[in-house]
Amino acid sequence: MPAVGEAAPDFELLNQFGEPVRLSELRGRNVVLVFFPFAFSGICTGELCEIRDNLALFADADAAVLGVSVDSKFAQRAYAGQEGYAFDLLADFWPHGAVAQKYGVFDAGSGMAKRGTFIIDSSGIVRYVVVNPRGQARDFGAYRAALAGLVGS
């Protein structure tokens, strides 16, 4: 798992529209990388809807939000459409969970990503990491504080 102060591992995944998204191509912007277990699940939907409803917070911090799960791009597209997500949902579908593994948040026993969040600054350096236990939602206030730290620096 990349630690705070380390370079974020680069990757390329397809978003819900089948378009490639490469982390390194977002240099110059902050990135909030949100791994979630599965589309359409209760806690995940609550967390991503909170992001959706507070996108201005991320825009104010010049931060791109990237949601990542092991679901296919087709499931991601249906999920984003149903919930009105205006940010990329990335399919870590094949090789199964490869990016989640790079970030140390793949649960091989269940075949899903853990609830890991990585805030990456505009230079590609990890500035915030949290991994929540299964069944425990992330604290949205922590995003707010971490993003405020980036804006102030």
Side-chain angles (χ1 to χ4, degrees), residues 101-119:
Q101 289 176 39
K102 274 186 174 184
Y103 279 80
V105 295
F106 185 72
D107 182 346
S110 63
M112 67 181 188
K114 298 175 186 175
R115 287 179 207 293
T117 304
F118 299 82
I119 296 182

Side-chain angles (χ1 to χ4, degrees), residues 43-69:
I43 294 173
C44 299
T45 299
E47 290 178 324
L48 294 180
C49 284
E50 194 160 17
I51 291 171
R52 175 200 66 202
D53 296 345
N54 291 280
L55 270 180
L57 168 71
F58 300 94
D60 290 348
D62 193 26
V65 175
L66 303 176
V68 182
S69 77

Side-chain angles (χ1 to χ4, degrees), residues 12-98:
E12 182 176 299
L13 292 172
L14 298 179
N15 69 9
Q16 67 266 38
F17 303 108
E19 302 162 338
V21 175
R22 179 174 288 282
L23 181 63
S24 58
E25 290 178 359
L26 294 170
R27 291 271 162 78
R29 291 190 71 193
N30 299 311
V31 175
V32 179
L33 188 57
V34 180
F35 288 91
F36 62 98
F38 294 111
F40 299 102
S41 59
I43 294 173
C44 299
T45 299
E47 290 178 324
L48 294 180
C49 284
E50 194 160 17
I51 291 171
R52 175 200 66 202
D53 296 345
N54 291 280
L55 270 180
L57 168 71
F58 300 94
D60 290 348
D62 193 26
V65 175
L66 303 176
V68 182
S69 77
V70 298
D71 298 292
S72 73
K73 66 182 177 186
F74 305 106
Q76 299 287 40
R77 186 166 186 173
Y79 187 41
Q82 176 178 303
E83 299 299 334
Y85 300 143
F87 50 89
D88 285 323
L89 295 185
L90 306 180
D92 194 10
F93 183 72
W94 197 257
H96 187 73

